[in-house]
Amino acid sequence: MDVLSSLRAARLVPVVVLDDAADADALAGALVAGGLPVAEVTFRTAAARDSIKAMSARGDILVGAGTVLTPEQVDQAVDAGASYVVSPGLSRAVVERCQERGVVALPGAVTATEIQAALELGLTTVKFFPAGTSGGAPAIAALAAPFGGVSFVPTGGVGPKNLQDYLSIASVAAVGGSWMVPRDKVKAGDFAGITALTADAVAFAQA
Ligand SMILES: O=C(O)C(=O)C[C@H](O)[C@H](O)COP(=O)(O)O
């Protein structure tokens, strides 16, 4: 299955912030055990590269990089094994480097203008970020009318309470969010707790 089909099948993309790459393998194991073999490891911390490397080496989880802001970070992410690259906004330079490196680019786009810019770069799937403060599910439903061929991955303010509002829209491929992987649980080594949160999220998404 290609990356976008895998994200669509998963319905959920856990957004991960790791402070210590030594936690990456156990965290990946926790997500897989919870039924969600997907992660977006954000470049918000210095541990991102080594975390992506450790997770992708397992071979049982689809690993992407998040918060990618520059072409140099695209190279770092791809060299570490990321198979998709997520950005909060739309950067032509980042998207073009992803295309050169042969990985899926998932840039943020929340306006008609930004979506058209993504289409001009050859993309048909965008991150809708920050979803909660950009009009939420009604905004996506409105944008889906003129942009029939575009799929959205709403992220930012998405959680168990509003998950279904988004997933019930046909053009929503998956939703992203950090609620399955609380940073304090990772720091405390509570991977069983993360598996439980993940399993709950998977059940919500399939309800
Ligand atoms: O754009 C990026 O690359 C990001 O890292 C943004 C994150 O995906 C969101 O900030 C997660 O939002 P919450 O689930 O509300 O915590």
Side-chain angles (χ1 to χ4, degrees):
M1 226 194 298
D2 66 30
V3 168
L4 289 172
S5 303
S6 298
L7 295 180
R8 192 177 274 280
R11 304 295 270 154
L12 299 170
V13 182
V15 176
V16 172
V17 181
L18 275 163
D19 294 290
D20 186 349
D23 293 326
D25 184 57
L27 174 60
L31 293 170
V32 171
L36 198 52
V38 180
E40 174 189 329
V41 181
T42 63
F43 267 73
R44 295 190 198 185
T45 66
R49 265 205 279 187
D50 287 344
S51 300
I52 290 169
K53 207 176 277 179
M55 285 187 174
S56 58
R58 294 170 54 97
D60 62 352
I61 182 164
L62 182 69
V63 186
T67 329
V68 172
L69 305 178
T70 66
E72 291 71 29
Q73 287 178 329
V74 174
D75 286 334
Q76 291 169 12
V78 176
D79 291 345
S83 51
Y84 60 100
V85 166
V86 186
S87 303
L90 180 71
S91 154
R92 170 185 277 270
V94 166
V95 171
E96 288 181 344
R97 185 63 62 89
C98 289
Q99 291 167 338
E100 283 162 23
R101 296 295 309 261
V103 294
V104 168
L106 202 58
V110 290
T111 66
T113 302
E114 291 163 1
I115 292 165
Q116 278 189 234
L119 287 170
E120 283 172 11
L121 289 169
L123 305 177
T124 53
T125 304
V126 296
K127 174 173 176 162
F128 188 80
F129 173 80
T133 52
S134 303
I140 296 175
L143 288 163
F147 296 115
V150 174
S151 295
F152 298 87
V153 182
T155 307
V158 180
K161 288 199 178 78
N162 57 11
L163 194 63
Q164 283 302 342
D165 297 344
Y166 291 104
L167 288 177
S168 62
I169 299 171
S171 60
V172 168
V175 300
S178 62
W179 82 93
M180 291 155 268
V181 188
R183 209 164 165 175
D184 56 343
K185 278 202 193 302
V186 177
K187 279 187 175 162
D190 182 9
F191 296 106
I194 290 170
T195 292
L197 281 172
T198 303
D200 282 351
V202 170
F204 275 132
Q206 287 167 356

